[in-house]
Amino acid sequence: MQRMREARHMQFTHEQEPAIRSLARIIKLIAFAGTGKTTTLVGYAQARPQARILYLCYNKSVEVAAKQKFPLNVTCKTAHGLAFGAVGTKYKHKLGNLRLTDIARAINSQNWELVRSVQETLNNYLASADEKIGLFHFPAEKLQNERMRRAADSIVEATRRLWAQMCDVNNHATPIPHDGYLKLWALSKPDLSTRFDIVLGDEAQDINPVIAGLLAQQAAYGMGVVVCGDGHQMLYRFRGAVDALDAPWLADAEVHYLTQSFRFGPAAAHVANMVLHFKGERRQLAGLGQPTRIAKMLPKDLEHRTILCRTVVGVIEAALAWVETGAKIFWVGGIEGYNLQDLEDLHALSKGWRERIKGKKLLQDYPDYDQYKDVAFESQDSEMTRSIKIVEQYGKNLPELFAKLRRNAVTDELEASVTLSTAHRAKGLEWEAVQLAEDFSFEPFDPDNDPEAWVDEMNLLYVACTRAMQVLAVNSTVLVIMQEFVDRRDGRKPDAPLAFQKKAPAAA
């Protein structure tokens, strides 16, 4: 136990200690919101100073933060960072987003429905652990349409041609996105055991099958593997993410649970537990932090408040409302991450002001606004549709309003009176006072809900509700859930599974 002494200067809970001391080669750590997952992993690494440990980070910002916390025997890297060094460097000259128009040129088609289907098939392949593109990567929901079923084989073949062009280093016309070289690296079946003894796989509930497969490979190579996460915080199913915590190769892993949160108090934990109750979770999240007040609105005299929105549109709309008060606004992830310039370019295109468009690729792809709208409609591209909504809602005032947003944006959150974020970007973060916006607009007890979509929305609410430390102002959707919980608890309604939950995944 000599190696365990270095971690003793840190104070750990009775839930964290067993995980830190574990001698198991494969460990699964289930950590509810705010329960000290990172602290536990840091303690685990400190307890093994001679081990070469890889902390596989969820994204670049997590990597930067992790380097400030972990000891020197830990290498903090994203999977893309590892893949870029091994494979991505030779594609530097053609790295970039693969647009619908790039795909159309690559497969020589003006059929936008077909182009969109090729894009979806490719994305499904890139996110998968599969070696070759097959019919099983074709969007499953489209197979319900007879016409699309007949076209499926040709779409898969077109996707294979597209992928070949992406992988060709001499083909400069067809870009390869970052997920492309990650896929190529994974296909090479890298053996990280030559460099590391243990890999820590964080946010395992939200990784794609490519990375999940990489972790499974390292376990097969004999490495120690610690996977951690919280299935209730799975937010990126729409990007092809899977909950790797349920992977078959983890069936015999040693399991540890973290359920005690010091971020918030009992009231906030109770709200979170109400959400989790309807998902079938029977373990209780304990709020051991300072008392957290639950309200419908945040107090008006706060020096700083955080507003969490469901959508990017919601964030921009909240910003437009607050900027009129002169508020200094901090945008989580940076203001440019919310596509303001792209929206300004699209606005200029809609007005015929071609000389004002800064992103010239927009003009190359779409000669006029009507064609942009036609492509958006035919391809059902959600980002394009969302952009059209903002441009048409705010009309000619959009450039002036956006200029004001930029003037009032700050990069130091301490200078802001308002922080804005989507709930997706808020995962892993916390604030003293949080307001949930009203754009979480789904009916939690609608019997026609799609089971997977319902789970995704409930997860998003759970994440949003667990960001506040002192005051949580809930929205109308959370109020509906709270009332339903109380009605069932008090016997006014039967506490039975929801009709659409028959296909819902079992809770941890």
Side-chain angles (χ1 to χ4, degrees), residues 369-380:
Y369 184 62
D370 286 339
Q371 183 172 352
Y372 184 95
K373 292 180 70 173
D374 288 344
V375 172
F377 176 77
E378 291 180 26
S379 66
Q380 294 297 299

PDB file of all heavy atoms in Angstrom, residues 369-380:
ATOM      1  N   TYR A 369     -30.596  33.463 -52.091  1.00  0.00           N
ATOM      2  CA  TYR A 369     -31.236  33.041 -50.839  1.00  0.00           C
ATOM      3  C   TYR A 369     -32.319  31.999 -51.091  1.00  0.00           C
ATOM      4  O   TYR A 369     -32.504  31.070 -50.292  1.00  0.00           O
ATOM      5  CB  TYR A 369     -31.820  34.261 -50.141  1.00  0.00           C
ATOM      6  CG  TYR A 369     -32.430  34.000 -48.787  1.00  0.00           C
ATOM      7  CD1 TYR A 369     -31.658  33.522 -47.727  1.00  0.00           C
ATOM      8  CD2 TYR A 369     -33.784  34.251 -48.545  1.00  0.00           C
ATOM      9  CE1 TYR A 369     -32.213  33.296 -46.477  1.00  0.00           C
ATOM     10  CE2 TYR A 369     -34.345  34.031 -47.294  1.00  0.00           C
ATOM     11  CZ  TYR A 369     -33.557  33.556 -46.266  1.00  0.00           C
ATOM     12  OH  TYR A 369     -34.109  33.338 -45.028  1.00  0.00           O
ATOM     13  N   ASP A 370     -33.015  32.127 -52.216  1.00  0.00           N
ATOM     14  CA  ASP A 370     -34.079  31.168 -52.519  1.00  0.00           C
ATOM     15  C   ASP A 370     -33.523  29.757 -52.667  1.00  0.00           C
ATOM     16  O   ASP A 370     -34.143  28.787 -52.205  1.00  0.00           O
ATOM     17  CB  ASP A 370     -34.817  31.577 -53.799  1.00  0.00           C
ATOM     18  CG  ASP A 370     -35.727  32.777 -53.582  1.00  0.00           C
ATOM     19  OD1 ASP A 370     -36.086  33.035 -52.410  1.00  0.00           O
ATOM     20  OD2 ASP A 370     -36.073  33.457 -54.571  1.00  0.00           O
ATOM     21  N   GLN A 371     -32.334  29.647 -53.294  1.00  0.00           N
ATOM     22  CA  GLN A 371     -31.756  28.309 -53.443  1.00  0.00           C
ATOM     23  C   GLN A 371     -31.319  27.767 -52.082  1.00  0.00           C
ATOM     24  O   GLN A 371     -31.453  26.574 -51.816  1.00  0.00           O
ATOM     25  CB  GLN A 371     -30.559  28.326 -54.393  1.00  0.00           C
ATOM     26  CG  GLN A 371     -30.002  26.913 -54.609  1.00  0.00           C
ATOM     27  CD  GLN A 371     -28.954  26.842 -55.689  1.00  0.00           C
ATOM     28  OE1 GLN A 371     -28.711  27.802 -56.404  1.00  0.00           O
ATOM     29  NE2 GLN A 371     -28.301  25.695 -55.808  1.00  0.00           N
ATOM     30  N   TYR A 372     -30.794  28.648 -51.213  1.00  0.00           N
ATOM     31  CA  TYR A 372     -30.429  28.226 -49.855  1.00  0.00           C
ATOM     32  C   TYR A 372     -31.652  27.642 -49.151  1.00  0.00           C
ATOM     33  O   TYR A 372     -31.584  26.582 -48.529  1.00  0.00           O
ATOM     34  CB  TYR A 372     -29.865  29.404 -49.075  1.00  0.00           C
ATOM     35  CG  TYR A 372     -29.354  29.059 -47.690  1.00  0.00           C
ATOM     36  CD1 TYR A 372     -28.009  28.784 -47.466  1.00  0.00           C
ATOM     37  CD2 TYR A 372     -30.221  28.992 -46.590  1.00  0.00           C
ATOM     38  CE1 TYR A 372     -27.525  28.460 -46.207  1.00  0.00           C
ATOM     39  CE2 TYR A 372     -29.760  28.665 -45.327  1.00  0.00           C
ATOM     40  CZ  TYR A 372     -28.419  28.408 -45.145  1.00  0.00           C
ATOM     41  OH  TYR A 372     -27.949  28.080 -43.879  1.00  0.00           O
ATOM     42  N   LYS A 373     -32.797  28.337 -49.264  1.00  0.00           N
ATOM     43  CA  LYS A 373     -34.020  27.860 -48.614  1.00  0.00           C
ATOM     44  C   LYS A 373     -34.502  26.553 -49.240  1.00  0.00           C
ATOM     45  O   LYS A 373     -34.977  25.659 -48.537  1.00  0.00           O
ATOM     46  CB  LYS A 373     -35.112  28.930 -48.709  1.00  0.00           C
ATOM     47  CG  LYS A 373     -34.812  30.182 -47.883  1.00  0.00           C
ATOM     48  CD  LYS A 373     -35.921  31.220 -47.990  1.00  0.00           C
ATOM     49  CE  LYS A 373     -37.182  30.777 -47.291  1.00  0.00           C
ATOM     50  NZ  LYS A 373     -38.212  31.852 -47.250  1.00  0.00           N
ATOM     51  N   ASP A 374     -34.351  26.450 -50.559  1.00  0.00           N
ATOM     52  CA  ASP A 374     -34.767  25.213 -51.225  1.00  0.00           C
ATOM     53  C   ASP A 374     -33.932  24.026 -50.734  1.00  0.00           C
ATOM     54  O   ASP A 374     -34.471  22.949 -50.451  1.00  0.00           O
ATOM     55  CB  ASP A 374     -34.606  25.359 -52.752  1.00  0.00           C
ATOM     56  CG  ASP A 374     -35.653  26.281 -53.361  1.00  0.00           C
ATOM     57  OD1 ASP A 374     -36.667  26.555 -52.676  1.00  0.00           O
ATOM     58  OD2 ASP A 374     -35.445  26.745 -54.502  1.00  0.00           O
ATOM     59  N   VAL A 375     -32.618  24.237 -50.637  1.00  0.00           N
ATOM     60  CA  VAL A 375     -31.735  23.165 -50.175  1.00  0.00           C
ATOM     61  C   VAL A 375     -32.061  22.800 -48.731  1.00  0.00           C
ATOM     62  O   VAL A 375     -32.101  21.625 -48.355  1.00  0.00           O
ATOM     63  CB  VAL A 375     -30.255  23.568 -50.318  1.00  0.00           C
ATOM     64  CG1 VAL A 375     -29.346  22.538 -49.654  1.00  0.00           C
ATOM     65  CG2 VAL A 375     -29.892  23.726 -51.789  1.00  0.00           C
ATOM     66  N   ALA A 376     -32.307  23.836 -47.906  1.00  0.00           N
ATOM     67  CA  ALA A 376     -32.652  23.585 -46.500  1.00  0.00           C
ATOM     68  C   ALA A 376     -33.923  22.754 -46.395  1.00  0.00           C
ATOM     69  O   ALA A 376     -34.013  21.822 -45.583  1.00  0.00           O
ATOM     70  CB  ALA A 376     -32.817  24.917 -45.764  1.00  0.00           C
ATOM     71  N   PHE A 377     -34.902  23.084 -47.228  1.00  0.00           N
ATOM     72  CA  PHE A 377     -36.176  22.370 -47.188  1.00  0.00           C
ATOM     73  C   PHE A 377     -36.016  20.935 -47.694  1.00  0.00           C
ATOM     74  O   PHE A 377     -36.482  19.987 -47.051  1.00  0.00           O
ATOM     75  CB  PHE A 377     -37.214  23.109 -48.037  1.00  0.00           C
ATOM     76  CG  PHE A 377     -38.531  22.395 -48.137  1.00  0.00           C
ATOM     77  CD1 PHE A 377     -39.438  22.415 -47.081  1.00  0.00           C
ATOM     78  CD2 PHE A 377     -38.868  21.679 -49.283  1.00  0.00           C
ATOM     79  CE1 PHE A 377     -40.652  21.736 -47.170  1.00  0.00           C
ATOM     80  CE2 PHE A 377     -40.075  21.010 -49.380  1.00  0.00           C
ATOM     81  CZ  PHE A 377     -40.966  21.040 -48.312  1.00  0.00           C
ATOM     82  N   GLU A 378     -35.331  20.777 -48.823  1.00  0.00           N
ATOM     83  CA  GLU A 378     -35.206  19.455 -49.410  1.00  0.00           C
ATOM     84  C   GLU A 378     -34.316  18.531 -48.577  1.00  0.00           C
ATOM     85  O   GLU A 378     -34.570  17.333 -48.464  1.00  0.00           O
ATOM     86  CB  GLU A 378     -34.641  19.569 -50.828  1.00  0.00           C
ATOM     87  CG  GLU A 378     -35.610  20.211 -51.816  1.00  0.00           C
ATOM     88  CD  GLU A 378     -35.023  20.309 -53.212  1.00  0.00           C
ATOM     89  OE1 GLU A 378     -34.146  19.489 -53.536  1.00  0.00           O
ATOM     90  OE2 GLU A 378     -35.432  21.207 -53.957  1.00  0.00           O
ATOM     91  N   SER A 379     -33.258  19.097 -47.983  1.00  0.00           N
ATOM     92  CA  SER A 379     -32.320  18.266 -47.213  1.00  0.00           C
ATOM     93  C   SER A 379     -32.734  18.115 -45.758  1.00  0.00           C
ATOM     94  O   SER A 379     -32.208  17.262 -45.043  1.00  0.00           O
ATOM     95  CB  SER A 379     -30.917  18.878 -47.262  1.00  0.00           C
ATOM     96  OG  SER A 379     -30.886  20.129 -46.590  1.00  0.00           O
ATOM     97  N   GLN A 380     -33.681  18.971 -45.309  1.00  0.00           N
ATOM     98  CA  GLN A 380     -34.120  18.959 -43.907  1.00  0.00           C
ATOM     99  C   GLN A 380     -32.937  19.161 -42.957  1.00  0.00           C
ATOM    100  O   GLN A 380     -32.874  18.558 -41.888  1.00  0.00           O
ATOM    101  CB  GLN A 380     -34.852  17.649 -43.580  1.00  0.00           C
ATOM    102  CG  GLN A 380     -36.165  17.480 -44.314  1.00  0.00           C
ATOM    103  CD  GLN A 380     -37.185  18.543 -43.943  1.00  0.00           C
ATOM    104  OE1 GLN A 380     -37.596  18.664 -42.799  1.00  0.00           O
ATOM    105  NE2 GLN A 380     -37.591  19.354 -44.914  1.00  0.00           N
TER     106      GLN A 380
END
